[in-house]
Every structure is written in structure tokens, then in C-alpha cells.
Amino acid sequence: METALAIELEGARIAVGAVDRAGHVHESEAVEPNGERTGGTYELLAECIERVRSRTARHGGQIVVCGISIGGGDDLDGTTADGGVADSRAADRLRGRLSTLVGVPVYADTEGRGFALGEGWVGAAKGCNNFVAMLVGHTVRGGAVVDGRLLDGSLGAAGRIGHVMVEPDGRRCACGARGCLQSEVSIDAIESASGRPLTEPTYDVMRRVGQLIGRAGAAAATLLDVGLIVCGGRVAREYASTLFLAAQEEIDQLCRLPFDKGARIVSARTPSPSGLISAAAIGWRGLAMAGG
Ligand SMILES: [Zn+2]
């Protein structure tokens, strides 16, 4: 059975798995560099890959592609592997090393864009050709699928909904602007603005986060003619229906044109481990675009 070697790089955590063309995860394991043992991150990753590859082969799986989902950290730091832009130099270096190691084509992209691919593949946007997906956690990342294709843009960064402005006099964002969605609704922004941990919000905090997410979602729906916004990540999980109701109300307020009216925001549904499914989706997409 053909499988994708899926690699999720998420802050201090590395996960590796084998995922088939139907989105089933057959093997998986995760390691945390800087844990009890020493050694370089790349060496740990390589060991992890070797174990997953050998178990996959033993069970009759054949790895034909490798997909990497790059997340964690701030997306503006071009010196680390989470360059944010899919073809950043750091991601390119990693891709080059891994392609020698695994001997199959390697494709890398951001976790937000991988999340969009995963949701379209086996999640809440399955069967939907036009949607925007956003992942709200320590950063806000996303991807836009239009006419059945993940939009790339000039630098491969299309769908960066975290830096859409939602509050004109809002908080200063890491990008230098004010009031970006990320600077208002990321975990750190919520905690610092409210003075409370993410898990102990007031009702008003949850409503406001939902409203701002809805505002960005509405802008995307209007701009791209998509009727579906998928929202996932830790903030969406924690604030659940309160967030989604407030977001939907905001979208209903803002989307009044014949084509954007009725746009819906829904919760992510990619099964766990969703990060590995995102990574595999990046790999399968790369292979399909290369004609494989
Ligand atoms: Zn910003």
C-alpha cells in the first residue's frame, strides 16, 4: 500500500507517521528534543523516521512521498525551520537533507496550509471545493482552497489570515501592524489582554474572540467567494460553541451580498493525529502537482 511519510514539526515537538491515500494513519510516534536525552534535533528526527519506515515496510507499506507540516514559534523568524513561507531557506535546507535520507520527493508547507488541506481531505470541508481554514493557537495560521485548489500566491503564503486586520486600534502585532487577527486572538494575546489563563475566560472574552474570528472569516468569504470557514486549534476547542455562535453572528452581520450571504463557520473535524494528516496532505498534494 502506498503511504506518505508525514512529519509534523511543532515547536519543541516532532511527530512522524505513515499515512495512506485515504487518510488513515498506520504508524506514528512523537519525540520532544531537549527531553531526557541529548542530541541534535535533526538526528532525533532521522532516528524517528527510520523506525517509522521500518515498521511501515514490515507491514507491507511503501513510502512514496514525504510531507512536512511546519508550525510553532513566530512565523516571522526566517532563521528557524518555521519560516512560514513554504519555500523559505530553512525549509528548503531541511527538505534537501530529508530528500537524501528518505529517497522520495519531499514537500513542506506551513501548518495552517496543511490544516486546510487536511480539512478538505478528511475533515469538515471534505467534498467542499471552496473554503478557508484557520488554526487558532499560539499563532493564527490558515489556508484558502478555491476551485478545489489550495491557493499559493506569489510566495507560497496565501491564506495568511492571522495578519488580516480586525481591530483598527488593536494590539501591536509581531509583524509591526496593529489589530491583526493573530495579535487579538492568539493564546498569548488573549491571556495578556484579559489577564487570565486561556482556560479561565469570561463569557465576554469568548464572545469577543469569536466575533473577531468571524470578522476575518467574513472578509475571506467576501473576498474569495467561499461559503465555508473552518476553524480549529486550541482556542477554538476551548471556547467551543460560545466562540462559534459569536463568530457566526458576526459573519451574518457582515456578509450581506447575494453570493456571500449564508457563509458558515464550523469547527475543524480532521481526526487525531490531525497534524500528521496535515503533513501527509502536504505530501500527497505535492506529488499530485508533480504529476505523481
Ligand atoms: Zn500581523
Side-chain angles (χ1 to χ4, degrees):
M1 182 194 299
E2 289 192 336
T3 59
L5 181 70
I7 300 171
E8 181 191 8
L9 304 176
E10 216 261 295
R13 184 173 167 276
I14 294 171
V16 179
V19 184
D20 68 22
R21 284 190 182 269
H24 297 126
V25 179
H26 293 271
E27 307 289 342
S28 70
E29 63 175 78
V31 289
E32 294 245 1
N34 311 320
E36 67 275 8
R37 55 159 290 175
T38 53
T41 302
Y42 180 78
E43 284 66 33
L44 268 178
L45 174 62
E47 289 169 16
C48 216
I49 288 170
E50 276 315 314
R51 289 192 295 272
V52 168
R53 282 174 85 195
S54 84
R55 289 204 302 274
T56 302
R58 218 178 309 135
H59 297 132
Q62 183 200 357
I63 288 167
V64 297
V65 70
C66 173
I68 311 173
S69 163
I70 301 173
D74 194 281
D75 53 0
L76 301 170
D77 183 359
T79 62
T80 65
D82 75 337
V85 174
D87 57 358
S88 68
R89 275 175 301 181
D92 266 348
R93 275 199 302 276
L94 180 64
R95 217 161 45 200
R97 286 181 87 176
L98 285 180
S99 125
T100 309
L101 180 73
V102 297
V104 295
V106 178
Y107 301 96
D109 214 323
T110 63
E111 62 176 346
R113 289 165 50 79
F115 169 69
L117 290 171
E119 286 296 318
W121 186 22
V122 294
K126 187 176 177 181
C128 179
N129 278 332
N130 297 285
F131 65 95
V132 164
M134 64 173 107
L135 200 51
V136 185
H138 286 287
T139 58
V140 178
R141 297 234 172 117
V145 171
V146 175
D147 300 333
R149 293 174 68 96
L150 180 71
L151 297 182
D152 285 321
S154 57
L155 292 172
R160 188 56 65 83
I161 199 163
H163 297 280
V164 167
M165 196 272 283
V166 291
E167 193 66 278
D169 294 317
R171 297 159 57 80
R172 179 76 68 189
C173 181
C175 74
R178 269 193 193 282
C180 293
L181 183 63
Q182 176 170 302
S183 68
E184 300 289 333
V185 306
S186 67
I187 293 173
D188 315 286
I190 293 170
E191 292 186 335
S192 119
S194 69
R196 306 168 73 100
L198 179 76
T199 49
E200 293 172 20
T202 62
Y203 180 70
D204 286 348
V205 165
M206 292 192 284
R207 291 265 321 162
R208 181 175 154 72
V209 168
Q211 184 188 28
L212 297 179
I213 286 173
R215 199 168 289 174
T222 306
L223 183 68
L224 298 171
D225 187 11
V226 298
L228 183 69
I229 298 122
V230 181
C231 181
R234 205 167 140 223
V235 173
R237 285 196 300 277
E238 288 286 346
Y239 296 175
S241 58
T242 307
L243 178 152
F244 281 96
L245 277 173
Q248 187 64 60
E249 281 174 25
E250 185 74 3
I251 290 168
D252 293 344
Q253 281 289 327
L254 296 172
C255 293
R256 291 165 179 263
L257 291 164
F259 75 87
D260 66 10
K261 201 171 173 159
R264 289 182 308 123
I265 183 162
V266 300
S267 177
R269 290 209 348 237
T270 300
S272 182
S274 57
L276 286 181
I277 291 174
S278 298
I282 290 167
W284 289 126
R285 172 186 187 251
L287 202 60
M289 287 179 74

